[in-house]
Amino acid sequence: MADRRRHGAGRYAIGVAAALMLLAIAVALSLGVGSKPLELAQIVASIGGNGDEYVDAVLASRVPRTVLGLIVGAALAVAGGVMQGVTRNPLADPGLFGINVGAAGAIVTGIAFFGATVTGYVWLALLGAVVAVVIVYALGSSNGQSAGTRIVLAGAVVTAVFSAYVQAVSLSFPEVFDAYRFWVVGSLAGRSLDQAWLILPFIIGGLLLAFVLAPGLNTLALGDDIAASLGQRPLVVRLFSGVSVAILAGAATAGVGPVLFVGLAVPHIARSVSGPDHRRLLPLCLILGPVLLLLSDVLGRVIARPDELMVGVMTAIVGAPALFIALRRMRGERR
């Protein structure tokens, strides 16, 4: 047993080291690849204050999207890991709580009835995401074994209702549709560092809460009765897990718009290395989430040059093969 634990710890350490290396590569590619490729020496010289004006200008446009890719990727991936743990559903992702449509509903409401501008989208999206999670928990709360299933069903209902509302408002007000369509694509392009700094405190708070909840998520996987016998309070774990997911995914969506698939794919990829222990899973999600998002963003710049594909489209193209490989590997290990 001790040898098996040492083997598992060694494998996890190697996985973390490999993930950190991939993250460094993804950051370098995000800063260096685009319509104007930059060499590593140029990037280093510019950061050190010795770059020419053109390189400085190119980096000035890429640094905000790289920073946002780091914090948003981490937030969505950890939120997905928490969501899959609290619902005991391997296909769960933050969108299951109605977070994306909740944020969209708040934004179209603000544009249509209160004249909201782009700078106010962050607060509106965060508010809408939190409201959606509250409604989902109010409809799906249960003390029984089916709590996870009821939350999933409640999320589907809330998503359907909010989606219908967004379509009705955006089609009724042409100016709302024009403003909303630029936000809903989900993109790192055209964002500023101010948006990153605005959502960063929320994401840090959500990450800390998620890591604190990791032991509780482990016991929740054993069932409510066993979790309660081990001193956990399943209802409290679910409640604060919902708060964590709402903050993480809500702030991420507020910053860059809806980006799907990261919260679904990354936890599966990380679980193939970490196993089911959330104390190992969530930190690995923290590293691999930005890797997937940044590499998707870089690929979107390359394949449609001189234009680019939005990162919300590219995450599915990049993440789907990785998810398929991870699921096949996990299936083979169970045999």
Side-chain angles (χ1 to χ4, degrees):
M1 180 65 72
D3 290 340
R4 187 174 181 180
R5 289 180 179 176
R6 282 195 296 269
H7 174 72
R11 178 183 176 186
Y12 179 70
I14 294 173
V16 170
L20 288 172
M21 186 177 300
L22 286 174
L23 181 59
I25 294 172
V27 169
L29 290 175
S30 180
L31 293 174
V33 175
S35 58
K36 167 62 177 177
L38 299 179
E39 297 179 357
L40 183 59
Q42 292 177 302
I43 297 174
V44 173
S46 180
I47 294 175
N50 299 318
D52 60 57
E53 293 184 2
Y54 184 76
V55 174
D56 292 344
V58 172
L59 276 182
S61 67
R62 292 180 186 169
V63 167
R65 68 194 300 171
T66 302
V67 172
L68 276 167
L70 287 169
I71 61 179
V72 168
L76 292 175
V78 172
V82 173
M83 185 71 191
Q84 291 175 13
V86 76
T87 62
R88 299 198 290 270
N89 183 348
L91 297 179
D93 74 340
L96 209 58
F97 270 175
I99 287 173
N100 291 338
V101 293
I107 285 178
V108 298
T109 300
I111 297 172
F113 303 112
F114 302 101
T117 60
V118 174
T119 55
Y121 288 3
V122 172
W123 298 107
L124 286 172
L126 188 59
L127 176 62
V130 171
V131 169
V133 171
V134 170
I135 296 174
V136 168
Y137 262 78
L139 295 176
S141 60
S142 170
N143 292 321
Q145 294 287 342
S146 62
T149 302
R150 292 185 59 177
I151 289 174
V152 172
L153 294 175
V157 171
V158 170
T159 297
V161 172
F162 271 82
S163 296
Y165 171 77
V166 168
Q167 291 182 12
V169 174
S170 60
L171 293 177
S172 300
F173 299 88
E175 67 279 6
V176 173
F177 178 76
D178 288 339
Y180 169 71
R181 66 190 177 93
F182 287 107
W183 174 84
V184 77
V185 291
S187 174
L188 298 177
R191 316 295 181 182
S192 67
L193 278 176
D194 291 339
Q195 289 173 289
W197 305 144
L198 187 59
I199 65 175
L200 183 59
F202 295 100
I203 290 178
I204 291 175
L207 290 173
L208 291 175
L209 180 57
F211 293 145
V212 170
L213 291 168
L217 292 172
N218 286 342
T219 56
L220 204 63
L222 303 174
D224 288 6
D225 292 338
I226 296 177
S229 68
L230 294 174
Q232 291 290 343
R233 300 172 64 182
L235 186 60
V236 173
V237 174
R238 287 195 179 91
L239 176 62
F240 282 101
S241 295
V243 172
S244 174
V245 171
I247 294 173
L248 289 172
T253 303
V256 302
V259 176
L260 304 177
F261 206 77
V262 175
L264 172 63
V266 172
H268 283 284
I269 298 169
R271 198 175 288 114
S272 66
V273 175
S274 69
D277 188 346
H278 287 82
R279 293 171 298 180
R280 293 183 172 185
L281 173 68
L282 297 184
L284 197 53
C285 287
L286 180 73
I287 303 171
L288 291 177
V291 172
L292 176 59
L293 196 58
L294 289 176
L295 291 181
S296 299
D297 186 46
V298 170
L299 187 59
R301 301 180 216 171
V302 172
I303 64 176
R305 189 180 294 177
D307 297 321
E308 63 178 71
L309 294 177
M310 301 297 101
V311 71
V313 176
M314 296 308 303
T315 49
I317 297 175
V318 173
L323 175 60
F324 178 74
I325 293 171
L327 290 177
R328 283 186 61 87
R329 183 175 180 180
M330 292 172 65
R331 182 180 178 184
E333 289 176 351
R334 291 194 186 103
R335 290 179 176 176

